[in-house]
Amino acid sequence: MKKTFWYRALAVLIALLIWQAAAMAVGNKILLVSPIAVAARLATIWREKGFFSTVLYTMARILLGFVLALAAGVLAAVAAGRFRLIEYLLWPYVITFRSVPVASFIILCLIWLNFSQLTVFIAFLIVFPVIYANVLQGVRSTDPKLLEMAELYKVPWYRRFFYIELPSIRPYLLSACTISIGMAWKSGIAAEVIGVVTGSIGGALYQSKIYFETADLFAWTIIIVILSVLTEKAFLWVLRRAFAGMERV
Amino acid sequence: MSDIVLKEITKRFEEKTVISDRDFVFPGGKISSVMGPSGAGKTTLLMLIAGLSAPDTGEITGVPERLSFVFQEDRLCEDFNAVANVRLVTGKRIPDEEIREELLRLGIPEESLSQPVREFSGGMKRRVSIARAILYDPELILLDEPFKGLDEDLRRNVMDELLEKLHGKTVILVTHDPEEAEYMGGKIISL
């Protein structure tokens, strides 16, 4: 475990050195900016006016889209698990969300919606099918003998959900959340870039393209990755705590 | 309390006929024991009475609305503790304190009450399943080999608890142990 960590750290260091060497060989900070320049930019970028409001703008919308998709996905999957008809009715939407390119949806949303809803909607569209498919699989994996027991004892649906279905959904839900938070960030920001949403992270990325500020592009990218990892960890922590709390009741 | 009457019952699983054109009467408010070799259809009989499985032919009458079933597999919610497993079926109708007392009477150690039942031994899970069936306060209780995996002392303890709590209710006990059937008393039905 510890050994792996050091090997990985060493590999990252080597990669950074290669990047630095390549940047020096190219000698053009628009084409390839050096890691040192990116680090320097990172140190100053967050002190600029509007940085936190930009981050907050995008983060709030991505998380809102994610949470809405999570709630809708779980509800839809539980309903579909119980009634085949609902699964069939939802099928065309799920297939569409999954197979249509995000870019098409983004353009369509730009026609339908205003800028401030765009990120929320795109994050929702991307996350919903992932949550739905995984949770449905979890519902399907619920032990039929436990469900039979619940039927015999006439357990009301909310208690059956809480005690029997939720525990079997849990591992599927956790892995679906892990995958989809990252996807929500990527697609949400892609939407902001295409829509040129001012005051958003995607908007900032677009600005760096216009002004050939490659250091800004890299700095923002690193910030996005950090935010994505942090929100993923924080959300999973909350979810695990919630599950652990439930077991203690 | 009315008798439970099964008339001309046949139950097949694919090609195999498990119960063939049989009649049974289980007296209401009393204990009956069903005995027979394994594969004779004892569990199937309980599933039919519980309504969890339908007979191919025949008719079942007199089964009350509220019934409990101690399944051969314990069918517990493994992530939850013993009290929560009982509360699943009782809801808030019974205070936690009463659930706890029943579990203690059935010999679950006090310090285990807050552990998830996945950490329980087979015998402990069995007794949680029995506590759940008792506290549901049924009119009819179906017991499928409920004492399997319990040692001699515990078995006595659990049987006494069942006899006390289920007095006046219809009890159908499936067992292959004549001693158990005798101890619990009542009618003995052979399959």
Side-chain angles (χ1 to χ4, degrees):
Chain A
M1 179 68 199
K2 229 180 163 186
K3 226 173 171 180
T4 334
F5 174 80
W6 289 112
Y7 282 138
R8 281 184 179 157
L10 191 64
V12 169
L13 190 67
I14 292 170
L16 285 172
L17 286 173
I18 292 172
W19 177 9
Q20 180 69 34
M24 281 156 75
V26 171
N28 179 334
K29 70 179 172 60
I30 292 173
L31 271 183
L32 187 58
V33 69
S34 75
I36 292 170
V38 172
R41 187 70 188 100
L42 266 177
T44 58
I45 199 166
W46 63 275
R47 276 180 293 193
E48 276 169 18
K49 202 169 126 272
F51 174 84
F52 287 103
S53 71
T54 303
V55 166
L56 204 67
Y57 180 98
T58 297
M59 189 156 94
R61 281 167 177 76
I62 282 172
L63 289 182
L64 179 63
F66 173 79
V67 169
L68 289 176
L70 179 66
V74 171
L75 278 177
V78 170
R82 201 157 302 159
F83 308 105
R84 270 278 143 119
L85 179 69
I86 294 183
E87 190 190 353
Y88 289 130
L89 286 174
L90 284 173
W91 186 76
Y93 304 97
V94 173
I95 287 296
T96 310
F97 289 4
R98 223 188 289 173
S99 48
V100 171
V102 194
S104 307
F105 272 125
I106 295 170
I107 310 272
L108 199 59
C109 292
L110 285 171
I111 298 168
W112 286 346
L113 306 169
N114 63 38
F115 285 138
S116 90
Q117 296 165 327
L118 174 72
T119 317
V120 180
F121 193 68
I122 290 300
F124 178 91
L125 278 186
I126 293 300
V127 173
F128 177 79
V130 179
I131 301 280
Y132 173 79
N134 275 276
V135 173
L136 184 57
Q137 212 182 335
V139 173
R140 290 270 147 77
S141 74
T142 308
D143 184 358
K145 294 198 160 180
L146 279 182
L147 293 174
E148 194 178 61
M149 178 275 293
E151 190 193 317
L152 180 106
Y153 283 111
K154 301 186 171 60
V155 176
W157 66 268
Y158 50 89
R159 250 188 272 145
R160 181 177 60 187
F161 175 73
F162 186 74
Y163 284 88
I164 297 172
E165 279 155 351
L166 202 54
S168 87
I169 292 170
R170 176 174 46 189
Y172 295 90
L173 186 63
L174 286 175
S175 74
C177 287
T178 311
I179 307 164
S180 58
I181 291 186
M183 289 166 69
W185 275 97
K186 287 176 196 153
S187 58
I189 286 171
E192 290 175 346
V193 172
I194 295 175
V196 198
V197 181
T198 42
S200 72
I201 296 181
L205 283 181
Y206 187 80
Q207 294 289 316
S208 63
K209 178 211 155 203
I210 293 187
Y211 299 111
F212 296 110
E213 298 278 10
T214 321
D216 278 29
L217 172 64
F218 277 71
W220 275 114
T221 305
I222 290 168
I223 290 163
I224 295 165
V225 171
I226 291 170
L227 288 173
S228 168
V229 171
L230 284 183
T231 47
E232 180 195 313
K233 297 268 181 255
F235 190 78
L236 288 181
W237 183 82
V238 169
L239 213 57
R240 286 214 176 86
R241 284 296 294 264
F243 279 129
M246 277 176 195
E247 286 178 12
R248 251 177 274 118
V249 293
Chain B
M1 212 170 278
S2 62
D3 293 351
I4 293 166
V5 181
L6 289 80
K7 258 166 99 178
E8 294 162 22
I9 293 290
T10 300
K11 180 67 189 174
R12 278 185 292 271
F13 288 106
E14 278 147 28
E15 291 309 295
K16 195 171 177 286
T17 303
V18 183
I19 297 169
S20 173
D21 196 23
R22 297 266 322 243
D23 295 333
F24 303 93
V25 176
F26 299 96
K30 297 207 169 67
I31 296 178
S32 314
S33 295
V34 179
M35 300 200 56
S38 47
K42 303 190 293 291
T43 298
T44 305
L45 188 64
L46 293 188
M47 295 298 271
L48 289 173
I49 295 169
L52 296 176
S53 163
D56 291 300
T57 60
E59 195 182 37
I60 301 170
T61 53
V63 180
E65 269 288 293
R66 281 184 82 76
L67 68 147
S68 320
F69 199 146
V70 175
F71 297 94
Q72 248 185 61
E73 327 83 20
D74 302 298
R75 304 199 186 186
L76 299 174
C77 302
E78 297 277 322
D79 294 334
F80 292 88
N81 67 38
V83 177
N85 264 283
V86 176
R87 208 189 306 123
L88 170 71
V89 306
T90 62
K92 293 261 180 268
R93 193 164 49 79
I94 294 178
D96 279 3
E97 201 38 55
E98 201 176 314
I99 297 175
R100 219 169 271 134
E101 276 166 23
E102 183 63 55
L103 289 163
L104 291 174
R105 266 201 299 280
L106 287 167
I108 305 286
E110 175 131 38
E111 65 273 16
S112 302
L113 289 179
S114 54
Q115 288 171 351
V117 297
R118 82 173 99 81
E119 290 167 19
F120 279 22
S121 69
M124 280 159 78
K125 286 184 184 176
R126 207 89 268 271
R127 283 170 281 153
V128 175
S129 168
I130 290 170
R132 180 174 68 187
I134 291 175
L135 289 173
Y136 183 61
D137 193 24
E139 293 169 75
L140 163 67
I141 182 164
L142 306 168
L143 303 163
D144 196 356
E145 305 268 14
F147 312 119
K148 209 159 77 177
L150 301 181
D151 65 42
E152 194 52 40
D153 286 349
L154 267 176
R155 191 178 296 221
R156 275 292 144 84
N157 175 5
V158 172
M159 286 198 276
D160 288 339
E161 183 64 20
L162 277 170
L163 284 172
E164 189 194 319
K165 286 286 151 64
L166 300 178
H167 185 74
K169 301 187 179 200
T170 313
V171 180
I172 303 177
L173 167 73
V174 158
T175 175
H176 58 260
D177 183 349
E179 250 177 72
E180 280 174 16
E182 197 178 323
Y183 191 85
M184 295 296 282
K187 183 176 170 181
I188 293 181
I189 291 162
S190 289
L191 266 181

